[in-house]
Amino acid sequence: GGTATDFAADQAFSISGWVKPAYDGSEAARCMMLANNSGDPASTANDNYGWYVLGYNKTIYFFFGAPGTHHITMATDAAVLNTTDWLHFVVTYDGTEINSGMNIYINGSAEASTGGSYGTFAGKTVDYTLAKLRLAGRHWGNSLFHRFPGIEDEIGIWNVELDSGAVSDLYNSGNGVKANTVSSSNLVAYYDMECDGPGSTNLKDLSGNSNDGTLTNMPSGSCGSG
């Protein structure tokens, strides 16, 4: 909901969360962790405007931009996802419009990562007309590229580049603080994955920006009960 997560090419932002995949083998090829992009397969003119965080061959892949060559990417050099352990991730972008301005942190520390072949927006505008914010998926499609089989928790999105100190606080050796206690004035969306009650499909945005969501195609009891 809303436009709070529709970031422009020159706007810094950060995304944080905990994930535990429930896949391995070939299913690990492409699994969408969260996205705010159009991703419309029926229209190449509108395909992939926006941003997303993807599990790709058990690495974490961060995309931001527009179709064709007008986007920037960053991916961890090592496979970091597995079906056994919870993993804490933070991706950040500094608004410089080049992929060297992107960072990926895993379990509180900067992860060795490499930028993709396209390294600049080349002055392009990011068009969010058809975009929707989705957790554990993306706007279009039902293949593994478009969804995330597994568990997610404590998803936070900020309109600022978080520094290493904030990242450390969020992780804190596996006992990190809640996302709404870090750079709270810049928090634009926050989902602690607690429901309104048993059977509820409402997912509240606790940032104060009212970007509430609806749980779709998830098993009963998907939300916590805090």
Side-chain angles (χ1 to χ4, degrees):
T3 59
T5 59
D6 292 352
F7 302 113
D10 60 354
Q11 184 177 2
F13 65 96
S14 302
I15 304 161
S16 170
W18 290 87
V19 294
K20 185 179 182 182
Y23 61 82
D24 54 19
S26 61
E27 282 192 312
R30 292 183 177 183
C31 298
M32 190 65 64
M33 293 162 57
L34 75 161
N36 186 31
N37 75 322
S38 54
D40 182 358
S43 173
T44 56
N46 293 311
D47 184 35
N48 277 339
Y49 275 103
W51 56 261
Y52 59 77
V53 183
L54 176 73
Y56 180 72
N57 288 332
K58 300 185 180 181
T59 68
I60 288 184
Y61 179 91
F62 180 25
F63 172 100
F64 182 39
T69 60
H70 306 298
H71 58 263
I72 54 177
T73 65
M74 187 66 66
T76 61
D77 295 339
V80 296
L81 294 167
N82 62 71
T83 60
T84 304
D85 305 310
W86 279 95
L87 175 138
H88 185 260
F89 76 92
V90 180
V91 297
T92 69
Y93 170 63
D94 65 3
T96 56
E97 304 187 24
I98 52 179
N99 56 20
S100 61
M102 307 173 94
N103 289 289
I104 302 176
Y105 298 84
I106 301 296
N107 291 339
S109 300
E111 185 74 14
S113 304
T114 301
S117 57
Y118 304 126
T120 177
F121 281 116
K124 294 294 181 180
T125 299
V126 184
D127 183 356
Y128 289 94
T129 303
L130 298 179
K132 290 185 178 180
L133 176 63
R134 293 287 176 91
L135 309 185
R138 65 183 282 182
H139 185 17
W140 297 87
N142 294 305
S143 70
L144 275 173
F145 180 70
H146 304 95
R147 58 185 172 86
F148 180 80
I151 312 171
E152 299 189 357
D153 200 8
E154 285 291 314
I155 301 296
I157 305 173
W158 294 259
N159 62 5
V160 68
E161 180 189 18
L162 296 179
D163 61 21
S164 59
V167 172
S168 179
D169 289 342
L170 287 166
Y171 175 63
N172 190 24
S173 300
N175 297 293
V177 299
K178 290 184 174 294
N180 61 352
T181 66
V182 173
S183 195
S184 56
S185 63
N186 297 106
L187 189 67
V188 296
Y190 168 47
Y191 306 96
D192 67 353
M193 301 310 197
E194 309 290 353
C195 293
D196 289 344
S200 173
T201 60
N202 296 323
L203 184 63
K204 292 291 187 182
D205 170 20
L206 301 181
S207 72
N209 292 305
S210 299
N211 293 308
D212 299 337
T214 301
L215 300 177
T216 305
N217 296 328
M218 295 187 182
S220 177
S222 291
C223 263
S225 57

